[in-house]
Amino acid sequence: MAIEQTLSIIKPDATRRNLVGKICDRIESDGLRIIAQKRIWMSKEQAQGFYIVHKGRDFYDGLVDYMISGPIVVQVLEGENAVHKYRELMGVTDPAKAVKGTIRHEFGETLRFNSVHGSDSVASALTEISYFFSQIEIIG
């Protein structure tokens, strides 16, 4: 098993409802370590840059507006197969279709307000971590 790092974002809907502690508990209970964390309020330019891969898609502008609507918590998670493990813990994007016990099933409100983001691959994790954390040792 490979030790990996992945990015987690606790989104504005979850920070608004004071769910950061509960989500962090779930992450750590599932065997991942939070090795870096900070609460930020993204600017429009930061959100546009982070989600540039979705530019031109019909949901892009709404996603950017949502992500700048309140503070977020960005985290670097570390553990064995961290990318896959966190994606399983998050559940599918739509909370209504997420498996019971996943973060999105338990805390997500809607397809857009689904409480968390996680990197979808090791390569994406490296890019996403470096977007928010410049002073961290990235492994991978």
Side-chain angles (χ1 to χ4, degrees), residues 6-9 86-87 90 104 116-121 128:
T6 192
L7 182 82
S8 167
I9 299 176
Y86 188 52
R87 292 196 65 75
M90 286 189 310
R104 287 178 171 154
V116 290
H117 163 88
S119 304
D120 63 5
S121 68
E128 291 179 351

Side-chain angles (χ1 to χ4, degrees), residues 57-105:
R57 298 174 89 178
D58 61 345
F59 62 85
Y60 174 77
D61 289 334
L63 176 60
V64 168
D65 288 344
Y66 161 58
M67 291 302 290
I68 66 172
S69 69
I72 62 171
V73 175
V74 290
Q75 303 170 312
V76 179
L77 309 181
E78 185 175 85
E80 289 186 13
N81 296 310
V83 173
H84 177 74
K85 186 176 245 183
Y86 188 52
R87 292 196 65 75
E88 281 190 340
L89 178 60
M90 286 189 310
V92 297
T93 306
D94 185 347
K97 296 177 183 175
V99 173
K100 186 176 181 178
T102 62
I103 292 171
R104 287 178 171 154
H105 178 269

Side-chain angles (χ1 to χ4, degrees), residues 2 6 23 25 30 45 66 68 72 75 81 90 96 98 108 112 126 136 138-139:
T6 192
I23 292 171
D25 250 2
D30 208 52
E45 294 74 24
Y66 161 58
I68 66 172
I72 62 171
Q75 303 170 312
N81 296 310
M90 286 189 310
R112 178 172 291 160
L126 295 173
I136 189 167
I138 299 171
I139 60 174

